[in-house]
Amino acid sequence: MSGYKILQAEKQGVYVLKFIGEIRLNLCSTLDHLIDEMKEDQSFITVVIDLTETSIVDSTTLGLLAKIGIFAKKHRKILPTIVSTNEDITRLVLSMGFDQLFIIVEKAATDIEHLSVIPILLASEQEVREKVLAAHKVLMELNESNRAAFKDLVQALECDQGPASSVSY
């Protein structure tokens, strides 16, 4: 088994995403593409994000997860679910303000045999930079603590990128 992967299942508009291993910015294009698919899915109801086998989640991934939570709350008026049995991961998502966007539970979402592996998408350095910037802007909007924590990073990324681009949810 490789060091990381995302598994997915979907039935009648309910998505289940299972993150295994170290989930970092190298998966941001894959995750962002999946978010776009959810947004376009007229039958989308909610998503369950299973972090029970996740060892590390970086801030870019957290920003993309926040994007899912904001979308679901805004357009479906429902809070999606994060499942985390790892105290460190649970503490991290709570510190980011995810309790405003998700129901956070400590029980496994589904058996792994019901999920299929999502192919990893390759992205250019510029595409990754744009996704990292957008994800951190989402985190900054959640609370003042995040705004302070990621302000310098966002400014640095914006300087590398040129004029600030708009972020859409």
Side-chain angles (χ1 to χ4, degrees), residues 21-165:
E22 296 183 7
I23 308 301
R24 299 179 185 265
L25 66 86
N26 57 326
L27 296 173
C28 68
S29 292
T30 302
L31 187 53
D32 201 46
H33 178 74
L34 184 59
I35 293 167
D36 289 342
E37 285 181 8
M38 283 186 235
K39 287 178 165 183
E40 293 171 11
D41 183 352
Q42 296 300 310
S43 67
F44 176 87
I45 296 171
T46 193
V47 61
V48 175
I49 300 166
D50 184 342
L51 302 177
T52 59
E53 293 186 48
T54 306
S55 56
I56 295 174
V57 180
D58 73 358
S59 56
T60 299
T61 302
L62 290 169
L64 291 168
L65 294 179
K67 189 174 173 181
I68 293 172
I70 291 167
F71 166 73
K73 185 175 179 180
K74 184 175 180 182
H75 296 285
R76 298 296 186 239
K77 310 292 188 240
I78 190 167
L79 294 180
T81 302
I82 287 181
V83 183
S84 174
T85 55
N86 179 326
E87 288 181 25
D88 293 333
I89 299 290
T90 302
R91 190 172 22 260
L92 178 61
V93 297
L94 288 172
S95 75
M96 290 291 129
F98 276 30
D99 53 330
Q100 301 168 47
L101 301 174
F102 295 91
I103 297 166
I104 300 172
V105 297
E106 296 184 20
K107 186 172 184 249
T110 187
D111 293 326
I112 196 167
E113 64 266 10
H114 294 57
L115 304 174
S116 55
V117 175
I118 298 172
I120 305 301
L121 300 176
L122 298 178
S124 70
E125 185 177 328
Q126 179 62 28
E127 289 170 323
V128 170
R129 185 180 296 115
E130 290 169 5
K131 292 182 188 324
V132 169
L133 176 61
H136 285 85
K137 284 183 175 182
V138 171
L139 287 175
M140 287 176 67
E141 292 178 15
L142 292 180
N143 60 46
E144 190 58 42
S145 175
N146 292 355
R147 193 170 347 310
F150 299 117
K151 178 184 169 192
D152 292 340
L153 173 63
V154 166
Q155 286 177 344
L157 289 169
E158 286 176 336
C159 287
D160 285 348
Q161 191 174 33
S165 58

